[in-house]
Amino acid sequence: MGKLKLPDLDLIRGEKSKRSLKEFIKSYWHVLEPQDFVDGWVIDAYCEHLTHIREIKNLLINVPPGASKSLVFSVFFFCWHWLHEPSSRFLYSSYSLGLSERDSMKCRRLIAHPSYQKCFKDIFSITEAEDTKRLFSNNQTGYRQAISIGSTTTGLKCNFAIMDDPLNASDADSDIKKADCCRWFTDSYFNRLNDFGKDCRIVLMQRLAHDDLSAYILEHYKETFIHLVIPYEYKKTNYVSVSGWKDPRAEEGEKLWPERYPESFIKDERRKQVKFESQYNQSPINSKDALFHPDTFRYYDELADGYKLDARRIPRTETYRIMTCDLAVSMASRADYTVIVVADVTRSGELIIVHILRDKMPGTKLVPTIKEVFNVFRPAYVLVEDVAMQKVILDQARAEGLPIRGIRPQGDKESRSLPLQVRFSSGQVWFPKDKGWMAAVEKELLEFPQGAHDDIVDAMSYLAIDASKRFHKPVETVQVQEKSEQELYKAAMLEGLLL
């Protein structure tokens, strides 16, 4: 009786990986990467969209750096797809020819691997006469060509036109580079398909600026492209793919893939908030039109008895502490926030931000929250708007024994922010380092006045206004009858700060 012939496990695994892109990635990850495969739903999102790419046809994806997009889209998908359609022709482009060639070589290394050849050698073979790091083809008329953004594309046709990182992050502020990238997309990339009714375009990138290629596509090709956005911090969305996939996160701000993005790494990346919002949260900030600029932000070191502002030491005894409140009563997702700012003000009028609370809460919690923050930080007094609903809160807080001072808003929020803008531009506003609430503070300031929220700006504006009254002599105005109330207010604030 002959020996029982056992099934070949490599062939079984090969057949399983051929049927599933996700299994293919897991099976061959070790061929290209030294570290172990780290699974996550982000990989599932990629695979779901790539498996249904013929239905989607045009796909724009925005994901943070380090989310394995290049490996999946530019290497694994290509090597897996040739197992099903070896005649397919791929055109890959990137801002750097070196990056395009890098992924091309990874594809060749994977295809040449003994395990891949053992399982799939009968499907296709590489053509010896056309086998370079920029272009290689197979005996079924398929090929993979690597080019750079800006290259001549005359005569190049493909079934899959894939742009992977079309703009260098270092060129995010270059209007010329961004315009060239968008122009090449329209003039050279977009018409490279063999069959415009069947073939596919894929654009992969992290957001880099408010006017990058993604913004251009969303403005001019919104009806053509499916847009998949995976931010590091979850934002509620109604997006559902053609296969039914949707972001599995439910809570606003929920973090992405903690196994790939440890908190210590994210903490360092957050030090550049504009970059973080663009590249990680896929929400670029137009800082050119912003009233507060990132280069005007100052950060202090806290000492046992005071603060270190760059080389200067400010004893806490030489400051006085105030607290400002911008109150809101709603728990709705799009409603304003209640914001409480605690700051120490120096003798020269510099603002040292000690604490900021930003939360949504019902009206019944407002006074208890104000009292709680007051008891922790013990400011000299508390500023609250003396208008509308806040009049009631103001009276309730006074009844609790809190030193409340009512303030009446003058002009609109932009006008009220003028004293704060001047203090920022002159380096007189200081923030603590490594506080969790700083991300929201920086984001709101950098987006003002175009952002979704301005509650922090308003609370800080009252802080700057109060400080200007205390440290600068009253402003004498002339020709009162010839100026509007709003013009007078702006002039008074600016002159008072600049004296």
Side-chain angles (χ1 to χ4, degrees):
M1 185 175 180
K3 291 184 179 179
L4 179 65
K5 186 175 182 180
L6 297 175
D8 192 314
L9 294 180
D10 287 337
L11 295 179
I12 293 175
R13 281 193 292 266
E15 182 59 30
K16 186 178 179 181
S17 65
K18 182 181 177 183
R19 295 179 182 181
S20 164
L21 175 57
K22 175 73 175 292
E23 289 299 323
F24 183 85
I25 294 170
K26 290 165 63 177
S27 296
Y28 291 97
W29 183 271
H30 70 282
V31 175
L32 302 177
E33 292 295 314
Q35 72 272 21
D36 293 337
F37 173 72
V38 178
D39 203 354
W41 60 260
V42 177
I43 302 294
D44 295 328
Y46 295 160
C47 293
E48 281 293 315
H49 285 78
L50 286 170
T51 302
H52 294 85
I53 193 62
R54 288 294 193 186
E55 300 168 61
I56 295 172
K57 290 190 174 61
N58 297 287
L59 179 62
L60 168 64
I61 296 185
N62 296 137
V63 294
S68 301
K69 65 174 176 54
S70 294
L71 267 177
V72 173
F73 283 83
S74 298
V75 182
F76 286 117
F77 170 64
F78 166 78
C79 295
W80 176 79
H81 186 80
W82 261 11
L83 303 180
H84 302 271
E85 297 181 18
S87 62
S88 291
R89 299 178 174 186
F90 287 76
L91 181 63
Y92 280 93
S93 56
S94 174
Y95 75 84
S96 165
L97 181 59
L99 291 179
S100 294
E101 293 175 343
R102 176 202 67 185
D103 292 336
S104 180
M105 294 303 293
K106 286 182 178 181
C107 291
R108 283 296 290 114
R109 194 159 79 245
L110 177 51
I111 291 172
H113 192 267
S115 177
Y116 189 99
Q117 284 298 306
K118 180 178 180 179
C119 297
F120 311 122
K121 63 181 180 180
D122 294 334
I123 298 176
F124 69 87
S125 60
I126 298 299
T127 306
E128 292 184 6
E130 198 167 54
D131 185 11
T132 69
K133 59 184 179 181
R134 295 186 187 179
L135 171 65
F136 62 86
S137 60
N138 64 35
N139 62 346
Q140 303 297 319
T141 72
Y143 65 68
R144 186 193 195 282
Q145 183 147 10
I147 61 174
S148 61
I149 305 300
S151 297
T152 299
T153 57
T154 304
L156 299 180
K157 289 291 185 177
C158 62
N159 307 113
F160 293 90
I162 301 178
M163 297 178 74
D164 186 357
D165 286 333
L167 184 69
N168 192 334
S170 63
D171 293 326
D173 294 327
S174 170
D175 292 337
I176 294 175
K177 292 285 188 181
K178 288 181 287 190
D180 287 346
C181 180
C182 295
R183 189 179 303 110
W184 190 83
F185 171 87
T186 300
D187 296 345
S188 301
Y189 166 86
F190 199 77
N191 61 0
R192 291 303 92 202
L193 301 182
N194 277 322
D195 186 337
F196 293 111
K198 177 183 176 183
D199 294 336
C200 306
R201 306 177 186 91
I202 302 175
V203 179
L204 319 163
M205 63 181 293
Q206 54 192 278
R207 292 303 305 269
L208 296 173
H210 74 282
D211 55 352
D212 59 13
L213 179 60
S214 286
Y216 182 84
I217 292 173
L218 293 173
E219 179 181 357
H220 298 281
Y221 299 89
K222 187 175 182 178
E223 302 302 320
T224 303
F225 276 77
I226 295 295
H227 186 205
L228 172 62
V229 185
I230 303 179
Y232 172 74
E233 294 171 317
Y234 177 64
K235 297 176 183 177
K236 289 189 177 180
T237 174
N238 295 321
Y239 176 78
V240 180
S241 74
V242 295
S243 63
W245 181 91
K246 60 182 181 179
D247 195 313
R249 295 174 289 182
E251 296 297 323
E252 193 90 11
E254 190 174 341
K255 306 299 189 292
L256 173 72
W257 215 353
E259 296 85 359
R260 291 297 301 269
Y261 299 99
E263 193 60 39
S264 58
F265 169 77
I266 292 299
K267 183 178 178 180
D268 290 336
E269 290 296 289
R270 279 192 186 279
R271 295 183 189 278
K272 296 183 178 179
Q273 189 64 21
V274 173
K275 170 189 170 184
F276 187 84
E277 285 300 320
S278 294
Q279 297 184 21
Y280 286 86
N281 280 337
Q282 313 310 313
S283 182
I285 294 171
N286 182 6
S287 58
K288 290 182 179 178
D289 296 332
L291 299 180
F292 300 95
H293 296 274
D295 57 356
T296 64
F297 283 54
R298 301 288 184 269
Y299 300 89
Y300 66 81
D301 292 303
E302 189 163 9
L303 307 175
D305 59 347
Y307 309 98
K308 184 180 180 184
L309 313 184
D310 287 341
R312 294 179 294 132
R313 291 175 177 267
I314 305 294
R316 198 171 282 108
T317 54
E318 295 183 7
T319 68
Y320 82 98
R321 179 164 291 181
I322 61 176
M323 181 171 134
T324 62
C325 305
D326 186 59
L327 307 178
V329 183
S330 179
M331 300 296 290
S333 60
R334 295 184 180 273
D336 290 337
Y337 286 86
T338 286
V339 172
I340 299 176
V341 178
V342 180
D344 283 346
V345 186
T346 69
R347 290 177 177 176
S348 61
E350 290 180 283
L351 308 178
I352 302 173
I353 307 302
V354 176
H355 180 72
I356 293 181
L357 180 148
R358 178 180 186 259
D359 201 2
K360 293 179 180 178
M361 61 187 73
T364 55
K365 285 191 63 178
L366 290 175
V367 173
T369 301
I370 294 172
K371 188 173 182 179
E372 181 182 347
V373 176
F374 176 85
N375 288 335
V376 171
F377 294 98
R378 308 303 298 180
Y381 51 87
V382 181
L383 299 173
V384 179
E385 279 189 349
D386 189 4
V387 293
M389 169 275 299
Q390 302 194 54
K391 281 179 174 287
V392 178
I393 304 300
L394 187 147
D395 291 338
Q396 291 177 356
R398 281 176 175 157
E400 292 284 336
L402 297 174
I404 300 292
R405 294 186 182 183
I407 48 176
R408 289 188 174 274
Q410 300 285 331
D412 57 22
K413 293 187 182 242
E414 280 192 56
S415 299
R416 291 200 295 273
S417 74
L418 282 171
L420 186 63
Q421 293 176 46
V422 174
R423 275 192 155 75
F424 263 91
S425 64
S426 56
Q428 292 185 313
V429 182
W430 297 84
F431 292 104
K433 297 177 180 177
D434 302 328
K435 293 290 186 181
W437 41 264
M438 274 304 300
V441 174
E442 291 172 333
K443 177 176 169 58
E444 185 175 307
L445 285 164
L446 292 170
E447 290 182 342
F448 183 78
Q450 305 299 328
H453 297 284
D454 51 24
D455 316 296
I456 295 172
V457 175
D458 220 23
M460 291 186 64
S461 295
Y462 286 128
L463 179 69
I465 291 170
D466 187 77
S468 70
K469 291 177 181 177
R470 175 174 288 264
F471 289 102
H472 297 283
K473 62 185 181 182
V475 178
E476 294 183 4
T477 59
V478 295
Q479 298 180 333
V480 176
Q481 69 280 5
E482 296 180 9
K483 294 185 178 182
S484 69
E485 182 180 349
Q486 187 168 336
E487 288 172 330
L488 283 171
Y489 178 78
K490 290 182 179 179
M493 289 298 96
L494 284 172
E495 291 173 24
L497 284 169
L498 295 173
L499 283 175

